[in-house]
């Protein structure tokens, strides 16, 4: 004779119906407490320290910025991994922290350690310490037509400005658009007058131009 749970429920239909009702009620109540999002928010357990160093080569940025930041944060409690990226004029260090760590407390700890660094080169700008966040893309709008690239860019900028006026939209970015360019024409006569070469002028322009990556 079968005495398993299935046989017992067959012999006691009222109990099986009551159990099913309880499961449905508990499931419905639990579902009401869940947060529902069209685009789920993504959080990254990391803090980024970025420093601008105008006129510096990637190697100079690595030695003067990244390595000093790495040494300062390595001993912090909760550090999981430290990664650095050195480019011309700019250095960034990303510190991953453990899931059990409070992100705001860890951010304050990193800021405190960065404030203690007193041997950055005098040419560097103020370090920026921020939590790494991911912005989720909800919608992409394409602007196209029989026009040159600059005309399309101006139209896209007008579309962006209109969208930013909507209270429900937090951020609008342009992508796949041509960058603005500045053309510098140099008089050969003036260069001879001031005894300058093209390489010297190019170096001066490069040191005065600062390209900072965002994000």
């Amino acid at each position: 004779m079968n005495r398993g749970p299935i046989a017992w429920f067959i012999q006691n239909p009222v109990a099986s119906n009551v159990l099913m009702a309880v499961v449905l009620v508990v499931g419905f109540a639990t579902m009401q407490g869940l947060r529902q999002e069209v685009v789920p928010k993504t959080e990254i357990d990391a803090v980024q320290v970025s420093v601008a160093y105008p006129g510096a080569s990637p190697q100079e940025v690595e030695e003067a910025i990244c390595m000093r930041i790495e040494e300062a944060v390595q001993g912090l409690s909760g550090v999981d991994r430290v990664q650095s990226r050195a480019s011309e004029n700019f250095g960034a260090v990303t510190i991953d922290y453990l899931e059990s760590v409070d992100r705001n407390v860890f951010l304050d700890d990193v800021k405190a350690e960065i404030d203690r660094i007193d041997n950055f080169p005098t040419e560097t700008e103020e370090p920026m310490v921020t939590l790494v966040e991911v912005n989720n893309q909800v919608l992409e709008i394409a602007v196209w037509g029989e026009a040159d690239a600059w005309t399309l860019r101006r139209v896209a900028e007008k579309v962006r400005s209109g969208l930013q006026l909507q209270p429900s939209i937090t951020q609008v970015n342009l992508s796949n658009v041509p960058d603005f360019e500045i053309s510098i024409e140099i008089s050969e006569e003036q260069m001879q007058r001031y005894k300058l070469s093209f390489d010297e002028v190019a170096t001066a322009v490069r040191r005065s131009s600062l390209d900072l990556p965002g994000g």
Side-chain angles (χ1 to χ4, degrees):
M1 182 178 180
N2 191 350
R3 296 181 179 276
I6 296 178
W8 187 87
F9 279 118
I10 292 175
Q11 297 174 6
N12 299 273
V14 176
S16 61
N17 291 335
V18 170
L19 179 62
M20 182 178 64
V22 171
V23 171
L24 292 175
V25 170
V26 172
F28 181 78
T30 304
M31 184 179 65
Q32 297 303 309
L34 294 177
R35 184 177 62 181
Q36 301 180 17
E37 297 180 347
V38 176
V39 181
K41 182 180 179 181
T42 303
E43 293 184 354
I44 299 178
D45 299 333
V47 171
Q48 185 178 73
V49 182
S50 55
V51 180
Y53 187 3
S57 65
Q59 183 177 357
E60 291 173 331
V61 172
E62 174 69 22
E63 295 175 354
I65 303 297
C66 297
M67 292 180 63
R68 293 174 184 177
I69 295 176
E70 291 175 0
E71 293 174 358
V73 301
Q74 282 286 1
L76 285 177
S77 176
V79 173
D80 183 24
R81 183 176 57 175
V82 179
Q83 303 177 82
S84 62
R85 185 181 74 255
S87 58
E88 191 171 359
N89 305 320
F90 185 80
V93 177
T94 303
I95 307 105
D96 298 337
Y97 54 86
L98 302 174
E99 294 183 2
S100 58
V101 175
D102 185 287
R103 63 199 315 251
N104 294 317
V105 173
F106 189 80
L107 176 65
D108 292 338
D109 291 342
V110 173
K111 287 182 178 179
E113 292 299 326
I114 300 303
D115 290 340
R116 293 191 181 97
I117 301 177
D118 57 2
N119 57 348
F120 281 142
T122 56
E123 296 84 358
T124 59
E125 298 182 6
E126 190 72 19
M128 296 180 60
V129 184
T130 56
L131 289 167
V132 178
E133 297 179 348
V134 176
N135 295 320
N136 296 307
Q137 180 177 323
V138 178
L139 180 66
E140 183 173 316
I141 300 175
V143 178
W144 65 278
E146 296 182 0
D148 59 86
W150 301 113
T151 301
L152 292 176
R153 178 177 180 130
R154 287 194 295 269
V155 174
E157 289 175 346
K158 291 181 180 180
V159 174
R160 178 183 61 180
S161 300
L163 292 173
Q164 288 177 333
L165 295 176
Q166 302 298 320
S168 59
I169 298 177
T170 58
Q171 186 175 359
V172 183
N173 296 325
L174 292 180
S175 61
N176 300 323
V177 293
D179 295 328
F180 289 111
E181 297 180 354
I182 298 177
S183 177
I184 302 176
E185 297 183 1
I186 305 172
S187 170
E188 186 175 351
E189 180 180 348
Q190 293 294 328
M191 290 180 58
Q192 293 177 353
R193 177 182 176 184
Y194 291 102
K195 299 180 179 180
L196 294 173
S197 65
F198 277 104
D199 291 338
E200 291 173 334
V201 175
T203 300
V205 172
R206 189 181 301 111
R207 289 180 176 176
S208 301
S209 303
L210 186 60
D211 185 12
L212 295 179

